Amino acid sequence: MALKKITIAIDGHSSTGKSTMAKALARRIGYAYVDTGAMYRAVTLYALRNKLIKGETVDEKALKEHLKRGDIMITFRPTKEGKSVTVLNGKNVERYIRSMRVSNVVSIIAAIGFVRKAMVKQQQAMGKDKGVVMDGRDIGTVVFPDAEMKVFATASAEVRAQRRFDELRAKGDTTTTFEEVLENVTERDRIDSTRKESPLRQAEDAMVLDNSHMTIEEQNEWLYNLYLSRVRS
Ligand code: DC
């Protein structure tokens, strides 16, 4: 008997490795993977490049116009290595959307109601046929409140900052300090959890995954077992 196709929502704090675990699970079970954080990052990159953000102030009127005109097209493209990259208006922007320049202001863009509305609409379209693993902040609460499997990932702020710091160093960033990264992680938690529009919160029916002291293998097994329990029930 073919296993039923479900929708998998993985939400949680930043730098908990949500995308790593979501990607691994999607590959293992043959589902599509959608990184919704990358979509907010791509809008942020677009806004920065078009000077629609100055300091912490966003020209919301202009941004709304650009979105409405269809000037901000975000898609995902598979690479030859079996990875997926974020594409903004036809160009691979994967590298740029992960920079500190984008990380520092993405929470401000992600807090804007009309930006969220536009992204949620696209995400719902991407997942309409199920068989998708989507990671973000509001997937189990807003985008797919009826998802059959919901996970809320978390870990201590220090563990998360260390992971992001190691990532930046591995990418050749030798200037950003651990303290700066920790501050960015803490500040993003605060903005994400206290914003008016779809604040980050755990859905009532989500399973909590605290991976502060878990290996990647342990967490992958945890997720896979949860998936099996959901498709067999
Ligand atoms: O997961 P990430 O760090 O790439 O997310 C980038 C930002 O986008 C982060 O500040 C939270 C926000 N975000 C959101 O508000 N809703 C989502 N579904 C995904 C990300």
Side-chain angles (χ1 to χ4, degrees):
M1 196 183 73
L3 288 175
K4 68 176 175 193
K5 261 209 266 179
I6 62 168
T7 302
I8 302 179
I10 303 189
D11 293 302
H13 291 111
S14 62
S15 304
T16 42
K18 287 190 302 294
S19 52
T20 308
M21 66 176 90
K23 260 183 234 161
L25 180 65
R27 199 174 311 124
R28 185 164 180 181
I29 64 180
Y31 276 26
Y33 162 65
V34 178
D35 175 354
T36 65
M39 297 171 74
Y40 291 98
R41 286 173 178 273
V43 176
T44 306
L45 180 69
Y46 179 91
L48 284 166
R49 284 180 171 174
N50 289 275
K51 309 216 168 4
L52 305 180
I53 311 180
K54 299 220 173 72
E56 305 221 323
T57 313
V58 181
D59 184 344
E60 293 200 19
K61 201 163 155 255
L63 181 60
K64 196 173 190 171
E65 264 310 302
H66 286 245
L67 264 175
K68 220 165 92 191
R69 280 204 305 261
D71 287 354
I72 315 179
M73 300 307 294
I74 302 160
T75 49
F76 295 96
R77 187 191 292 156
T79 65
K80 279 188 233 102
E81 298 82 38
K83 288 189 181 160
S84 160
V85 294
T86 312
V87 173
L88 171 64
N89 296 331
K91 297 232 162 62
N92 176 355
V93 290
E94 196 57 41
R95 207 161 81 89
Y96 307 107
I97 62 168
R98 310 287 166 196
S99 65
M100 279 303 273
R101 181 168 168 246
V102 168
S103 296
N104 284 336
V105 287
V106 60
S107 293
I108 299 168
I109 293 288
I112 302 174
F114 65 80
V115 173
R116 301 203 68 83
K117 221 166 140 194
M119 296 303 115
V120 168
K121 207 169 144 199
Q122 283 194 31
Q123 291 152 12
Q124 287 172 336
M126 289 174 185
K128 69 177 186 343
D129 298 326
K130 300 192 182 232
V132 68
V133 182
M134 207 171 275
D135 85 62
R137 302 294 189 288
D138 58 343
I139 311 305
T141 51
V142 176
V143 184
F144 292 115
D146 297 329
E148 292 86 350
M149 172 169 158
K150 297 184 188 178
V151 174
F152 190 85
T154 190
S156 76
E158 285 72 19
V159 167
R160 291 185 284 131
Q162 188 65 51
R163 288 177 187 157
R164 184 140 288 187
F165 178 75
D166 293 343
E167 243 173 56
L168 287 170
R169 281 287 186 272
K171 279 187 198 151
D173 177 339
T174 52
T175 48
T176 310
T177 65
F178 173 77
E179 285 67 32
E180 280 166 351
V181 181
L182 181 59
E183 199 185 306
N184 178 262
V185 165
T186 318
E187 180 62 5
R188 283 213 285 155
D189 282 357
R190 191 187 64 74
I191 300 180
D192 290 347
S193 321
T194 58
R195 70 181 176 213
K196 238 177 43 230
E197 297 285 339
S198 312
L200 170 66
R201 65 180 177 81
Q202 186 192 323
E204 265 170 40
D205 49 351
M207 300 290 288
V208 176
L209 172 64
D210 183 333
N211 63 13
S212 301
H213 306 291
M214 264 172 135
T215 64
I216 300 225
E217 289 71 31
E218 282 167 346
Q219 110 184 340
N220 286 348
E221 284 314 295
W222 187 96
L223 279 165
Y224 185 62
N225 286 326
L226 184 60
Y227 158 77
L228 287 181
S229 76
R230 291 297 191 267
V231 287
R232 282 175 181 159
S233 63

